[in-house]
Amino acid sequence: MHNYLDFEKPISDLEGKIHELKKLASEDESIDTSEEVGRLESRVREAMVDIYSKLNAWQKTQVARHPQRPHFIDYASTLFTEFTPLAGDRQFSEDAAIQAGFARFRGQPVALIGQEKGNDTKSRLKHNFGSARPEGYRKAIRILEMADRFQLPVITLVDTAGAYPGVGAEERGQAEAIARSTEMCLGVKVPIVSIVIGEGGSGGAIAIAVGNRVYMLEHSIYSVISPEGAASILWRDSTRAKEAATNMKITADDLKSLGVIDGIISEPVGGAHRDPNAVISAAGETIANALAELSSRSGEQLRNDRRQKFLNIGRNL
């Protein structure tokens, strides 16, 4: 069953009528509803184009968080072959929020790192809703070190509301782990291509998103804090999240204009959850083009370009 967002009510009503007509036709073969169904399907397409062509920042936040949006495991299983995940940080434990390992992308060996949110209650609890503890970032550091040693390009897929803020995570050095992961991304001499596929929240995102090329899906968000968190801090009222989302400039269009990201990957009308295969394929093409562009650069040049890229953010504002 499709999960509709609050602003999708016109679409929900129309698709509900389509479902009823198809059910009626299946129960009584003498009833032909094909003409009416076709008319309603045309209206659904028109409604989706109209609604999704003018989404505000808060509505895009809702789309980025849609439970049926494709997650890391969907990209990993579709775009990559021979994916071999590695577990543990060699210091404390395994953290399933960050999935990391090695794979082949169109035959080329690569390192693959990303956050996994889970798609049902059991998997969401297992992956802690994509919010990593220090162990997750230290595992990412392990993979980055190995990628640098064996000269393997790194692909990172970002999808987290932020690093886990629990007491245990803070006791085990959450901030230090995020800082070292960010430092490691800046230091490796291999290409890093990062894509924000859903939410890119705070240091939990940037820890694996310091790439030579950084892209966002059209309806993803990337921010220093969640809109709800910003509203709670600024106005002590989390219900003003919509206002915060607008002022924070967290959409792909905003961040492209500010020079924070390098490009935007288009989503199907209605969002990535409407046609996961199409958006995953588009992400694959973007990764392939970026790797091809970066392949001729030396390790020193890749590292220096990456560092300068992030130093330059905000200089022309």
Side-chain angles (χ1 to χ4, degrees):
M1 183 179 293
H2 188 77
N3 289 294
Y4 293 96
L5 302 171
D6 55 6
F7 61 84
E8 292 182 311
K9 191 174 187 311
I11 299 170
S12 171
D13 292 343
L14 289 169
E15 291 191 331
K17 291 177 183 178
I18 292 172
H19 177 73
E20 290 175 3
L21 288 171
K22 287 183 175 179
K23 183 179 179 182
L24 183 64
S26 67
E27 293 173 349
D28 188 344
E29 294 182 359
S30 65
I31 300 176
D32 183 9
T33 62
S34 58
E35 184 176 341
E36 180 65 11
V37 166
R39 186 179 67 83
L40 289 173
E41 287 177 340
S42 178
R43 288 179 60 190
V44 166
R45 287 191 292 271
E46 292 171 0
M48 281 202 292
V49 170
D50 180 57
I51 290 171
Y52 275 81
S53 65
K54 52 188 179 185
L55 294 182
N56 59 42
W58 178 241
Q59 289 169 332
K60 289 205 172 196
T61 300
Q62 293 175 275
V63 178
R65 295 171 174 173
H66 197 287
Q68 293 173 319
R69 194 173 179 84
H71 293 158
F72 172 87
I73 57 172
D74 302 303
Y75 289 84
S77 61
T78 304
L79 294 179
F80 301 88
T81 57
E82 299 180 39
F83 176 47
T84 305
L86 300 186
D89 66 344
R90 299 298 186 265
Q91 295 186 47
F92 184 76
S93 70
E94 159 66 351
D95 179 15
I98 285 188
Q99 298 291 294
F102 298 95
R104 290 186 183 275
F105 175 73
R106 301 186 177 184
Q108 179 181 8
V110 298
L112 179 61
I113 304 171
Q115 285 111 350
E116 172 57 43
K117 285 185 171 181
N119 51 26
D120 55 29
T121 301
K122 184 178 180 180
S123 62
R124 286 170 187 151
L125 290 172
K126 173 186 175 182
H127 296 289
N128 200 34
F129 299 86
S131 292
R133 298 174 172 85
E135 300 77 57
Y137 297 107
R138 291 179 178 131
K139 176 170 63 175
I141 292 169
R142 281 184 59 212
I143 304 303
L144 288 163
E145 287 176 337
M146 294 175 70
D148 195 36
R149 186 183 311 157
F150 295 107
Q151 293 295 289
L152 301 178
V154 179
I155 314 298
T156 70
L157 304 176
V158 179
D159 189 14
T160 181
Y164 184 62
V167 173
E170 296 296 340
E171 289 175 340
R172 296 193 300 277
Q174 182 72 287
E176 182 266 351
I178 289 172
R180 290 198 179 276
S181 183
T182 306
E183 179 186 39
M184 182 57 66
C185 286
L186 286 168
V188 297
K189 296 180 180 180
V190 295
I192 301 180
V193 179
S194 301
I195 301 179
V196 181
I197 60 174
E199 286 186 274
S202 191
I206 195 67
I208 62 169
V210 185
N212 294 91
R213 295 292 178 269
V214 181
Y215 303 96
M216 290 177 66
L217 295 192
E218 182 181 359
H219 301 311
S220 60
I221 60 169
Y222 196 13
S223 61
V224 70
I225 190 173
S226 71
E228 296 91 339
S232 297
I233 292 172
L234 293 174
W235 302 299
R236 300 186 183 280
D237 183 1
S238 62
T239 62
R240 296 177 67 178
K242 179 178 179 180
E243 184 179 349
T246 302
N247 292 327
M248 290 166 62
K249 306 297 183 186
I250 62 177
T251 68
D253 288 332
D254 290 330
L255 295 167
K256 179 66 169 64
S257 67
L258 293 170
V260 175
I261 63 171
D262 299 291
I264 300 171
I265 301 172
S266 297
E267 296 188 27
V269 176
H273 54 282
R274 286 274 176 177
D275 191 351
N277 290 333
V279 78
I280 292 173
S281 177
E285 288 301 315
T286 299
I287 293 169
N289 292 336
L291 291 179
E293 178 192 353
L294 297 169
S295 63
S296 61
R297 303 188 185 186
S298 67
E300 285 291 341
Q301 187 178 4
L302 287 166
R303 182 174 66 177
N304 293 338
D305 287 352
R306 192 184 312 120
R307 290 178 173 181
Q308 197 59 48
K309 168 188 172 65
F310 282 85
L311 286 171
N312 288 339
I313 290 176
R315 285 189 174 178
N316 297 322
L317 299 181

